[in-house]
Amino acid sequence: MAKAFFRLQKFLRRTQFLLFFLTAAYLMAGSLLLLQRTRLVIQQGSRGTSASQALPVLDGTAGAGMLEPRMLQNPRHGARLLVGMDTLQEPALEQWHSPRWLVSRNVELRQLRRRWFHRFISDQEPMQTVGFKAMKHTAEHKGTYVGCFSDDSRERTLKGAVFYDLRKMTVSHCQEACAERAYALAGLAYGAECYCGNQLPASTAKPEECNSECKGEKGSVCGGVNRLSVYRVEELRAAARRRRNVIYRGCFRAPENLTDTFPASLMQPNLTVEMCSEFCSKKEFPLAVIPGQECYCGYPTGRFPLRHGADGQLCSAGRAGYCQVYQTPVQDTRCTDRRFLATKSKGFVALSSFPGAGNTWARHLIEHATGYYTGSYYFDGALYNKGFKGEKDHWRSRRTICVKTHESGRTEIEMFDSAILLIRNPYKSLVAEFNRKYAGHLGYAAERAWHSKEWPDFVNSYASWWASHVLDWLKYGKRLLVVHYEDLKQSLIPKLKEMVEFLNMTVTEDRLLCVENNRDGNFKRSGAKQKDFEPFTQEMKDLINRYILTVDEALRERNFTGLPREYVPR
C-alpha cells in the first residue's frame, strides 16, 4: 500500500512540473509575440505612418490638427517635425514643397484633424442634449392644432418651405420657423420634418394616424408616415419678425405666352414689387414675375429657365418683351424629396475635397438633382440634423450615390472605384475652414482669432494639406472627375450635369431648374463678412503660391485642366 502511494505521489510531482513548464512556455511565447508586434509598430512609426501619435496636440481651444505654436513659429522647423521620424535632417529649401514632402506632411495633419474632430463631436453632443432638455420643458405650443391630414410626398400641400431636424424637432420649433416667414400653417411629419404653407391639405386622416413622437420632445406628436399634424400659427405672426426681403433675380426676356407659362397672375393698378411678391407668396410660388404693370407667379421651367439674363436697363425703361424677376420666400420644393438607393451601388464613388472647399454644398446640389442621399466618411451630427441622412448611414453601405471624404492616404483612396475631386482656391478654403473650426458651419470666427497666433499656425499647417490632398488623389485615384468650385459656381447647371453623368444617374430638366432655384441650400454662410484687414501676410502668400504652382503643374501633367486664373499667385 505504501509503495502504491509513493508511486502516485511521484506521478503528481511530475505532472505538476509538466504543468508549470507548459505555463511558462505559453507565457514566454506570448511575450515574444507581443515584443515582435511592438517592434513592427515602432518600425512603421519610423516610416511616418504613426509618427503623429508622438506629436504634441493643442487642446480644443487652440483648434484642430495643429502643433504647439512654438514649434511652428519657424516654418522650417515645423516642416521638419511633420515629415516623419526618420527624416531628422533638415531638408533642402527646394524640397519643402515637393510632392513627396507634401504627402508625408498630409498624413500627419489628417490624423491630427480626425482625432480633433471626434473629440469635438463627443464634447459637444452632451452639452447640446442637456441644453435641449432644459429648453423643451419651457417651450409652449402657441398655435392652434387643426388636425391630422394625409400628405403626398410627390405633391406636397404645404410647400411654402421645408425644414428638417432629425434629432431636435419640436412643435414649437416648427411653428416658429413658419411664423418667422409669415406662413399661416405649420405641419409636422415623421417626427422630424416641418412644412409651411397657407392652404390646408385636401384630405383629412384619423387622429390616431398621426402617431410619430417628436424627435426632440417626448410626449408630443409630430405627424406620422405620410401624415401631417397641422397647426395654425396666426397667433405668432404679430410677434414674428418681418418676412425676409425678396431677392431680385434680374431682368429676363419674357416668354411668348405668359398665361401658359405661369399658373397664377394678378392685374392691379399701381402694382408694386411688394404687392406682387405678397400675392405670389400666398399662392406658394417661388417666383414673382413683373412685365410692366402685371404680376405673374410660377417656377423656373424649360419655357422660362432664368439662365440668360438681359440688360437691366431694358426692364427699367419698360421695354416690351422683358420682365423683372424676384425670388419670394417660398421654397421650390419640386426637388426636395430624397431617398437611399433601393439596391447597393455597383461603383463606390468618393466626393473628395480639402476641408472648406464646398463639399457640403456639392452634396446639397447632387442630392437635390438626383433625389438620392450622399454618404459621409464622418458622422457630423449638425449635418445629419439638417437633413443629410446619409451622415448616419455607414459610409461603406453603398446605399448612397457618393461618399464625402477629406482623406487622402493611399489606402483611403484606393478603396474607391472612382471619385469627384472638388478643388477650391486655397485662400478661400483656408478662410472657410478656419471659420468652421471656430464658429461652426454657418458662423464666422471672432476677429481676435484672426489676430492671434492661431491663424498663422493654422495657415502654416493646413496650406500644405491643401496641396498634398490633390497630389494624392491624382497619384492614387483610379477614375477621377476634377471639378473646380469656382467653375461650379459660375456654370452651375452644365457642371452639375457633368457630375450627375459621372455618377451614372439621370436627371430631369425641371429638377435641374429646381436645384438652380435652391442653389445655396441651408449650409451657406449669409453673405461675405468683409474684414477691414488682409488676413494673409506676404510670407503666407509666398508659401501658398508655391503650393498653387505645384498643384497646377501636377494637374496639367495628368491632362486635366489647370487651376482657374484666379488661383494665380496674388
Side-chain angles (χ1 to χ4, degrees):
M1 182 69 182
K3 190 174 182 179
F5 180 80
F6 175 76
R7 288 179 178 177
L8 177 62
Q9 188 179 24
K10 187 176 181 180
F11 173 78
L12 291 175
R13 286 179 180 176
R14 288 179 180 177
T15 303
Q16 185 179 12
F17 176 78
L18 180 60
L19 290 173
F20 174 80
F21 175 78
L22 291 175
T23 303
Y26 176 81
L27 293 175
M28 289 178 64
S31 299
L32 289 173
L33 180 60
L34 179 61
L35 289 172
Q36 185 179 10
R37 293 182 64 182
T38 304
R39 182 181 178 185
L40 178 61
V41 171
I42 293 174
Q43 289 175 347
Q44 290 177 341
S46 67
R47 290 194 295 269
T49 57
S50 61
S52 64
Q53 301 300 322
L55 295 176
V57 183
L58 295 177
D59 60 17
T61 61
M66 296 188 293
L67 301 177
E68 293 281 2
R70 63 177 181 275
M71 296 183 181
L72 291 172
Q73 290 174 356
N74 186 340
R76 297 163 63 110
H77 182 54
R80 188 170 68 251
L81 282 174
L82 285 165
V83 296
M85 299 297 291
D86 60 341
T87 53
L88 295 178
Q89 298 296 325
E90 185 172 329
L93 179 62
E94 61 272 12
Q95 295 178 346
W96 291 349
H97 313 291
S98 66
R100 184 176 181 182
W101 179 84
L102 288 169
V103 169
S104 180
R105 180 166 179 145
N106 183 23
V107 172
E108 312 295 344
L109 288 171
R110 285 189 294 107
Q111 292 177 351
L112 290 171
R113 181 183 184 276
R114 193 183 309 167
R115 189 165 29 176
W116 174 88
F117 180 81
H118 288 296
R119 184 172 70 246
F120 176 80
I121 293 297
S122 62
D123 290 345
Q124 291 296 315
E125 290 296 331
M127 294 177 62
Q128 294 173 352
T129 303
V130 170
F132 177 72
K133 287 180 178 178
M135 179 187 68
K136 72 177 184 179
H137 292 298
T138 60
E140 296 180 0
H141 302 173
K142 300 178 182 179
T144 303
Y145 181 64
V146 179
C148 183
F149 293 82
S150 297
D151 185 48
D152 185 355
S153 60
R154 291 171 296 181
E155 183 60 37
R156 300 281 185 191
T157 304
L158 299 181
K159 52 189 177 183
V162 181
F163 306 95
Y164 301 93
D165 201 327
L166 304 178
R167 291 186 58 216
K168 301 178 183 179
M169 180 61 74
T170 66
V171 175
S172 295
H173 176 50
C174 180
Q175 289 178 359
E176 290 168 1
C178 295
E180 287 174 359
R181 290 157 178 82
Y183 288 106
L185 300 172
L188 297 105
Y190 298 98
E193 300 178 3
C194 173
Y195 299 89
C196 308
N198 294 317
Q199 299 177 12
L200 280 173
S203 59
T204 60
K206 297 178 180 179
E208 59 269 20
E209 293 179 2
C210 285
N211 52 16
S212 293
E213 187 177 64
C214 299
K215 296 293 184 181
E217 192 173 23
K218 291 183 178 180
S220 294
V221 177
C222 287
V225 178
N226 293 325
R227 295 294 183 268
L228 282 172
S229 297
V230 179
Y231 292 82
R232 195 176 300 278
V233 295
E234 289 179 335
E235 298 174 28
L236 299 176
R237 298 181 67 172
R241 293 186 303 219
R242 293 182 59 188
R243 183 189 298 247
R244 57 182 177 179
N245 294 330
V246 296
I247 301 171
Y248 179 61
R249 294 291 300 271
C251 179
F252 296 86
R253 182 180 290 276
E256 293 183 2
N257 194 324
L258 292 169
T259 55
D260 287 347
T261 304
F262 302 110
S265 61
L266 173 67
M267 308 298 172
Q268 184 170 327
N270 301 321
L271 182 74
T272 65
V273 173
E274 290 74 17
M275 291 178 184
C276 185
S277 173
E278 182 72 17
F279 173 76
C280 293
S281 295
K282 288 183 178 179
K283 294 292 184 179
E284 298 182 348
F285 290 107
L287 294 184
V289 182
I290 306 176
Q293 290 297 311
E294 300 174 352
C295 172
Y296 293 89
C297 312
Y299 301 95
T301 62
R303 291 183 179 181
F304 195 61
L306 295 183
R307 289 182 186 169
H308 306 292
D311 188 345
Q313 293 182 355
L314 295 173
C315 289
S316 300
R319 180 80 171 268
Y322 292 88
C323 57
Q324 293 178 313
V325 180
Y326 293 86
Q327 185 99 31
T328 73
V330 175
Q331 183 180 7
D332 191 340
T333 57
R334 294 176 297 170
C335 57
T336 54
D337 59 300
R338 290 161 291 167
R339 59 189 181 277
F340 290 103
L341 294 172
T343 58
K344 291 185 177 181
S345 61
K346 296 179 180 179
F348 194 31
V349 187
L351 177 61
S352 176
S353 74
F354 175 78
N359 200 302
T360 301
W361 179 53
R363 291 176 67 187
H364 160 77
L365 296 175
I366 291 171
E367 288 191 2
H368 284 72
T370 64
Y372 292 103
Y373 287 114
T374 59
S376 176
Y377 189 77
Y378 318 95
F379 171 65
D380 190 333
L383 293 178
Y384 173 77
N385 292 345
K386 298 304 180 183
F388 287 92
K389 293 185 179 180
E391 283 288 336
K392 199 170 184 180
D393 200 58
H394 192 277
W395 62 278
R396 301 199 76 163
S397 69
R398 294 183 181 247
R399 296 202 307 153
T400 55
I401 56 175
C402 62
V403 176
K404 165 188 173 178
T405 179
H406 299 312
E407 306 303 307
S408 51
R410 179 173 182 175
T411 302
E412 290 86 348
I413 293 174
E414 290 184 343
M415 62 187 170
F416 290 100
D417 301 317
S418 57
I420 297 174
L421 179 59
L422 185 63
I423 305 174
R424 187 183 185 185
N425 188 321
Y427 288 99
K428 301 289 183 61
S429 293
L430 291 170
V431 169
E433 178 64 2
F434 193 74
N435 278 323
R436 188 198 66 80
K437 283 186 177 299
Y438 290 93
H441 287 281
L442 301 177
Y444 291 89
E447 186 172 345
R448 63 178 179 274
W450 299 97
H451 293 291
S452 71
K453 187 65 174 63
E454 296 168 6
W455 169 239
D457 288 347
F458 176 86
V459 172
N460 187 59
S461 299
Y462 274 61
S464 62
W465 183 7
W466 174 86
S468 60
H469 180 273
V470 178
L471 296 176
D472 270 6
W473 281 92
L474 290 177
K475 183 176 181 180
Y476 301 117
K478 299 173 186 176
R479 176 173 167 261
L480 291 179
L481 173 65
V482 176
V483 177
H484 297 289
Y485 173 91
E486 292 75 17
D487 292 343
L488 182 61
K489 190 174 180 181
Q490 183 69 28
S491 305
L492 178 65
I493 297 301
K495 284 297 177 183
L496 185 55
K497 277 185 176 179
E498 189 178 356
M499 294 165 68
V500 171
E501 289 173 1
F502 185 81
L503 295 169
N504 294 319
M505 304 294 292
T506 58
V507 60
T508 64
E509 186 68 15
D510 281 349
R511 197 163 186 112
L512 284 173
L513 291 167
C514 173
V515 174
E516 187 176 40
N517 213 33
N518 290 319
R519 60 190 301 156
D520 291 338
N522 295 323
F523 272 85
K524 175 181 170 60
R525 290 183 176 87
S526 55
K529 191 175 183 180
Q530 299 295 332
K531 304 178 186 61
D532 55 1
F533 65 95
E534 171 59 60
F536 296 96
T537 65
Q538 190 57 50
E539 183 180 2
M540 294 178 189
K541 293 179 183 179
D542 293 339
L543 179 71
I544 296 170
N545 291 342
R546 286 194 290 269
Y547 294 143
I548 290 175
L549 295 176
T550 301
V551 170
D552 184 71
E553 182 180 355
L555 284 168
R556 295 181 189 276
E557 286 178 355
R558 285 285 307 273
N559 296 320
F560 289 109
T561 304
L563 296 176
R565 287 190 174 184
E566 73 169 73
Y567 287 33
V568 173
R570 53 188 196 176

